[in-house]
Amino acid sequence: MVKNKVLLLGATGETGGDILNGLVEDGSFDVACLVRPSSASSAAVQELSTRGHNIVVVDLKGSFEKLVEAVRGYDTIISAIGAPDQTQQLELVDAAAAAGTKRFVPCAFMTVCPPGGIIGSRDDKESVYQRIWYHHLPYTIIDIGFWHQASVPRLASGRIDSKLIVARNEIYADGNVKSMLSDKRDIGRWVARIVQDERTINKKVFAHSEFLSQNDIVRIVEEKSGEKLELTHLSTTELKARREKAWADYVADPTSISKRLLRSIDDYNVSKYIRQDDTPENAKYLGYLDARELYPDVKTIGFAEFMDDFLADKIKRPYEGKHIGLMKPTQK
Amino acid sequence: MVKNKVLLLGATGETGGDILNGLVEDGSFDVACLVRPSSASSAAVQELSTRGHNIVVVDLKGSFEKLVEAVRGYDTIISAIGAPDQTQQLELVDAAAAAGTKRFVPCAFMTVCPPGGIIGSRDDKESVYQRIWYHHLPYTIIDIGFWHQASVPRLASGRIDSKLIVARNEIYADGNVKSMLSDKRDIGRWVARIVQDERTINKKVFAHSEFLSQNDIVRIVEEKSGEKLELTHLSTTELKARREKAWADYVADPTSISKRLLRSIDDYNVSKYIRQDDTPENAKYLGYLDARELYPDVKTIGFAEFMDDFLADKIKRPYEGKHIGLMKPTQK
């Protein structure tokens, strides 16, 4: 069987790693990893090579001819690049168009949200999508909601603190607005199905493991942990005001990673919990196909099942070993 | 029968007038006309009233509460506003969302083209579409290609000069690239069908009368007129360079209507004849539905039939009586 030749950017990152796992598990793909020179000699890239993946080292901002040559010959290019680096994809899109790539999967992999000043990085992604359309390049956009792995609140005992990445334990408005969640382990499985399906060419697709409110998550975590959560309640007005301030702080200091993150966190909070952007209904309104309808046989990992694994210490902490400035328990 | 209550903005303009005619001809609609205070007492508005349409006078940039009240109670709002005024729709979108409008049809009605720096007014429209998505407002976007009425070249005899609005008689590259055209008389018929169809809710739709190249048009006009056209040929490079210069001239003098028009004309020329954006294939790539597939019974007016009417003096010159600075025959 001739395998689908995939070139994956970001395989050493969180989403890229999840996608790589899903593609390998599926077995239909021959996956090479596109690596930027700055990380070519890293241990993580070495490990990709040891796992049998071709490593393609190329500078996205260097010679355009070299970039075109590097991406030529792959059926599918999948990009999973860090949130602040979205616009680094622009030249990759140009190169994919020049090389005649049959399907370009840009770095979406976020909650469903329209462009236009709601979530900052969504607008960065839009500029990449516009470049795709500029070239008439075949594409698939895949959004997946918010990670289970980034949705665990802090336990009062402190026993899971070392495994949390965001732990504000805040409930916005009445806590009953639902949004879409995915277990990171499901993402690659969805992507493997989506990128070998002709129905998804030139489409947006949303894929999610669960559709839960904050109160649903609290209930599951309290039940699984046996602990009563300590929660802070913020009104819609308070949350929107904090987002405004986070934006002002960021605009005043745009190279600050922590200010970018604080801005981004409240962009997501307002979009998910106030605006209700990240729902199946809104995704369909925005023209997305539903992966659950396309692949009804796919079994996903619900949040309760995930919490069992999490409390049994079977879940890898995202960004392990990296300081990303997000872990700040604000309780007590 | 309960009629679909439509509020139409721009009914005294070219596209809005075409839409009004189509809605009235269809018979399923009760059409009121939204009029800005600046034109409330014009003869054109008086004529709309005489034809039996309710006139709703409201300032788009005035009291938001008054605007919401003005648009409340209509099933459908259709906007056909002048090219330079696209962003005046933003508050109208906000008001439609507040009033619970069931379908908002923003002012698209242009050639098919993606956003992102290709056609300036397309990007203005995109900001309006983003505002629609911001509100989760039900919508339909309708694009129609370029008007037959704006595609007639100059005859060397000069006998049709007074009826032309653009008459450069230029052929770009080899002249064989096809793009979509609509007779203005077809636009309203398409719109009437599209806005009463549940299949088109939250969709983009393209509707066109013909799909022709510049050489096709030359052949038809020469055959119908019996005159040999005098043509100027521009290479891709020459056309792109002229567009670049037109943009630079416009940016240096952004309030100049003529510079805006010259920029806009070459935006369209490059998009249609070089980039090949305005094709059924590209429309489908961009997610549009095809009105010809949705309504196979609709009979459209082809360019040859249009030319018969044009040469028989049966076609109204667009923008009649208005000086828009476009008529500049460059031959001899």
Side-chain angles (χ1 to χ4, degrees):
Chain A
M1 180 185 132
V2 178
K3 293 192 171 188
N4 186 315
K5 290 190 69 178
V6 171
L7 183 63
L8 174 63
L9 170 63
T12 64
E14 287 296 327
T15 296
D18 296 335
I19 292 169
L20 181 60
N21 291 340
L23 297 179
V24 169
E25 181 186 298
D26 182 275
S28 316
F29 303 92
D30 180 6
V31 187
C33 299
L34 183 62
V35 169
R36 286 165 281 181
S38 55
S39 53
S41 57
S42 69
V45 168
Q46 189 57 51
E47 193 197 325
L48 292 174
S49 182
T50 305
R51 285 170 67 184
H53 299 292
N54 270 339
I55 306 298
V56 178
V57 180
V58 69
D59 185 356
L60 297 176
K61 301 287 177 185
S63 152
F64 183 66
E65 288 68 27
K66 282 186 187 165
L67 186 58
V68 174
E69 281 318 303
V71 306
R72 195 186 296 283
Y74 295 94
D75 303 305
T76 307
I77 296 178
I78 302 176
S79 170
I81 197 167
D85 297 336
Q86 294 301 310
T87 55
Q88 288 197 26
Q89 296 174 87
L90 293 171
E91 288 77 10
L92 184 61
V93 171
D94 295 341
T101 302
K102 293 182 206 140
R103 184 186 315 240
F104 189 93
V105 181
C107 186
F109 306 114
M110 62 175 279
T111 57
V112 168
C113 175
I118 300 166
I119 298 181
S121 60
R122 177 65 183 80
D123 291 345
D124 294 341
K125 290 175 195 283
E126 188 72 8
S127 69
V128 177
Y129 305 163
Q130 290 190 353
R131 189 78 76 115
I132 289 171
W133 302 325
Y134 182 92
H135 290 295
H136 315 277
L137 179 64
Y139 73 95
T140 305
I141 289 167
I142 305 171
D143 280 310
I144 51 90
F146 213 72
W147 299 339
H148 287 349
Q149 282 81 347
S151 302
V152 182
R154 183 171 185 264
L155 297 180
S157 65
R159 65 178 160 120
I160 61 170
D161 279 7
S162 67
K163 301 196 290 179
L164 301 178
I165 60 168
V166 187
R168 273 173 161 165
N169 284 31
E170 291 174 345
I171 303 293
Y172 308 114
D174 67 4
N176 284 327
V177 170
K178 291 186 175 195
S179 62
M180 295 195 282
L181 292 164
S182 280
D183 193 296
K184 285 172 93 283
R185 296 168 291 179
D186 287 337
I187 295 171
R189 291 173 190 150
W190 287 123
V191 171
R193 297 294 292 269
I194 292 166
V195 302
Q196 55 188 314
D197 184 346
E198 279 307 308
R199 293 174 299 175
T200 63
I201 200 81
N202 305 330
K203 302 284 188 206
K204 295 180 283 193
V205 183
F206 72 100
H208 68 298
S209 310
E210 280 240 63
F211 183 49
L212 296 176
S213 70
Q214 293 190 286
N215 292 336
D216 291 332
I217 290 174
V218 168
R219 193 172 55 247
I220 292 167
V221 173
E222 290 188 340
E223 190 180 300
K224 296 291 183 184
S225 68
E227 295 191 35
K228 178 81 183 158
L229 295 186
E230 294 177 352
L231 301 169
T232 307
H233 289 264
L234 265 79
S235 70
T236 297
T237 308
E238 287 168 326
L239 177 59
K240 285 185 172 176
R242 193 174 69 186
R243 174 179 177 269
E244 290 300 316
K245 185 176 181 311
W247 265 95
D249 291 347
Y250 165 74
V251 168
D253 187 9
T255 60
S256 161
I257 292 172
S258 64
K259 284 175 183 162
R260 192 180 198 288
L261 279 167
L262 288 171
R263 180 207 86 182
S264 181
I265 290 170
D266 280 339
D267 277 354
Y268 276 95
N269 285 331
V270 171
S271 175
K272 291 194 299 181
Y273 300 124
I274 308 300
R275 293 184 35 78
Q276 308 187 34
D277 287 320
D278 187 36
T279 70
E281 184 186 1
N282 192 47
K284 289 182 180 184
Y285 164 78
L286 293 170
Y288 284 72
L289 303 178
D290 181 351
R292 302 181 83 89
E293 292 175 6
L294 294 171
Y295 320 108
D297 59 303
V298 170
K299 298 270 178 292
T300 57
I301 303 168
F303 193 76
E305 184 184 346
F306 160 79
M307 273 310 297
D308 285 336
D309 288 346
F310 185 89
L311 292 169
D313 216 11
K314 291 181 185 163
I315 300 294
K316 187 169 160 289
R317 178 188 180 280
Y319 306 111
E320 191 61 60
K322 287 184 188 163
H323 177 69
I324 56 161
L326 279 173
M327 174 58 198
K328 38 173 76 187
T330 54
Q331 305 338 111
K332 307 242 153 109
Chain B
M1 180 185 132
V2 178
K3 292 194 172 187
N4 187 315
K5 289 190 69 179
V6 172
L7 183 63
L8 173 63
L9 169 63
T12 63
E14 286 297 327
T15 296
D18 296 335
I19 292 170
L20 182 60
N21 291 341
L23 297 179
V24 169
E25 180 185 297
D26 182 275
S28 316
F29 302 91
D30 180 6
V31 186
C33 300
L34 183 62
V35 169
R36 286 164 281 181
S38 56
S39 53
S41 57
S42 69
V45 169
Q46 189 57 52
E47 192 196 324
L48 293 174
S49 181
T50 305
R51 284 169 68 183
H53 299 291
N54 270 339
I55 305 298
V56 179
V57 180
V58 68
D59 185 355
L60 297 176
K61 300 288 178 185
S63 153
F64 183 66
E65 289 68 27
K66 281 186 188 163
L67 186 57
V68 173
E69 281 318 302
V71 307
R72 194 185 296 283
Y74 296 94
D75 303 304
T76 306
I77 296 178
I78 303 175
S79 170
I81 196 167
D85 297 337
Q86 295 300 311
T87 56
Q88 288 197 27
Q89 296 174 86
L90 292 171
E91 287 78 9
L92 184 61
V93 171
D94 295 341
T101 302
K102 294 183 205 141
R103 184 185 317 239
F104 189 93
V105 181
C107 185
F109 307 114
M110 61 176 278
T111 57
V112 168
C113 175
I118 300 166
I119 298 181
S121 60
R122 176 64 182 81
D123 291 345
D124 295 341
K125 291 175 194 287
E126 188 72 7
S127 69
V128 177
Y129 305 163
Q130 291 190 353
R131 188 77 77 114
I132 289 171
W133 302 325
Y134 181 92
H135 290 294
H136 315 277
L137 179 65
Y139 72 95
T140 305
I141 289 167
I142 305 171
D143 280 310
I144 50 90
F146 213 73
W147 299 340
H148 287 350
Q149 281 81 348
S151 302
V152 182
R154 182 169 186 266
L155 296 180
S157 65
R159 65 182 160 118
I160 61 171
D161 281 4
S162 67
K163 300 196 289 179
L164 300 179
I165 60 168
V166 188
R168 275 175 160 163
N169 283 31
E170 291 174 343
I171 302 294
Y172 308 114
D174 68 3
N176 284 327
V177 170
K178 290 186 174 194
S179 63
M180 296 194 284
L181 292 165
S182 281
D183 193 296
K184 284 173 93 285
R185 295 168 291 178
D186 287 335
I187 295 172
R189 291 173 189 150
W190 286 122
V191 171
R193 296 294 291 270
I194 292 167
V195 303
Q196 56 188 315
D197 184 346
E198 280 306 308
R199 294 174 297 175
T200 62
I201 199 82
N202 304 330
K203 303 284 188 207
K204 294 179 283 193
V205 184
F206 71 99
H208 68 297
S209 311
E210 279 242 62
F211 184 50
L212 297 176
S213 70
Q214 292 191 287
N215 291 337
D216 291 333
I217 290 174
V218 167
R219 192 173 53 248
I220 291 167
V221 173
E222 290 188 340
E223 190 179 301
K224 295 291 184 183
S225 69
E227 294 192 35
K228 178 80 182 160
L229 295 185
E230 294 176 354
L231 302 169
T232 307
H233 290 264
L234 265 76
S235 69
T236 297
T237 307
E238 287 168 327
L239 177 59
K240 286 184 172 177
R242 192 175 68 186
R243 174 178 177 270
E244 290 301 315
K245 184 174 182 310
W247 265 95
D249 291 347
Y250 164 75
V251 168
D253 188 8
T255 59
S256 161
I257 292 172
S258 65
K259 284 177 183 162
R260 192 181 197 288
L261 279 168
L262 288 171
R263 180 208 88 182
S264 182
I265 290 170
D266 279 339
D267 277 354
Y268 276 94
N269 284 332
V270 171
S271 175
K272 293 194 298 181
Y273 300 124
I274 308 299
R275 294 185 34 79
Q276 308 188 32
D277 288 320
D278 188 36
T279 70
E281 183 186 3
N282 191 47
K284 290 183 177 182
Y285 163 79
L286 292 169
Y288 283 71
L289 303 177
D290 181 351
R292 302 181 84 88
E293 291 175 8
L294 294 171
Y295 318 108
D297 58 303
V298 170
K299 296 269 176 294
T300 57
I301 302 168
F303 192 77
E305 185 183 344
F306 159 80
M307 273 309 297
D308 285 336
D309 288 346
F310 185 91
L311 292 170
D313 216 11
K314 292 180 185 165
I315 300 293
K316 189 170 159 289
R317 180 188 179 279
Y319 308 111
E320 190 61 58
K322 288 182 188 164
H323 177 69
I324 56 162
L326 279 171
M327 175 56 199
K328 37 175 74 186
T330 54
Q331 307 334 113
K332 307 243 156 111

